[in-house]
């Protein structure tokens, strides 16, 4: 059974930094496409960043230049380094994953992802 465990959220002032982690348990993360989504109160869930099985990374325009996505297959862990945080980054952040075999191309569509973490809250005060 695949489980995703999120950690690393918290409260920070605008301009600060946080790092989120997402660990896949029960599987080797190689071959999985993974992504971070976020959902603010009253808003739809939106993709933040995604990574293919070949390590190709995509970012939402709203976080380009501020967030950095990385994946360590040896630790089965996905990281999201968030810098220059803004109040509008406040949301519940979820990691997600799917696989179709050895290779996969990540998507910004939440419907593509079969596995989801429990979410971690990020609050940025202005």
């Amino acid at each position: 059974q695949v489980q995703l465990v999120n950690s690393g959220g918290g409260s920070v002032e605008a301009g600060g930094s946080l790092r989120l982690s997402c660990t896949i348990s029960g599987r080797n993360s190689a071959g999985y496409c993974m992504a971070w989504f976020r959902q603010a109160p009253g808003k739809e869930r939106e993709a933040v960043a995604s990574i293919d099985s070949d390590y190709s990374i995509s970012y939402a325009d709203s976080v380009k230049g501020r967030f950095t996505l990385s994946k360590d297959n040896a630790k089965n862990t996905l990281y999201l380094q968030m810098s220059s945080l803004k109040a509008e980054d406040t949301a519940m952040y979820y990691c997600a994953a799917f696989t179709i075999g050895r290779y996969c191309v990540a998507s910004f569509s939440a419907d593509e992802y079969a596995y989801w973490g429990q979410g971690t809250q990020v609050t940025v005060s202005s």
Side-chain angles (χ1 to χ4, degrees), residues 44-113:
E44 293 187 355
R45 187 171 296 190
E46 63 175 357
V48 175
S50 67
I51 185 168
D52 297 347
S53 56
D54 67 353
Y55 289 86
S56 295
I57 295 174
S58 299
Y59 296 98
D61 288 343
S62 59
V63 306
K64 280 181 182 176
R66 300 188 299 120
F67 289 11
T68 301
L69 188 67
S70 60
K71 185 167 171 251
D72 186 339
N73 282 336
K75 296 182 178 180
N76 294 328
T77 300
L78 181 73
Y79 301 99
L80 184 68
Q81 178 67 47
M82 304 183 294
S83 302
S84 302
L85 282 161
K86 304 176 181 179
E88 51 262 44
D89 294 318
T90 295
M92 184 71 78
Y93 284 70
Y94 300 89
C95 74
F98 75 92
T99 184
I100 56 173
R102 187 173 180 181
Y103 301 105
C104 63
V105 177
S107 166
F108 272 14
S109 172
D111 291 341
E112 297 286 336
Y113 293 83

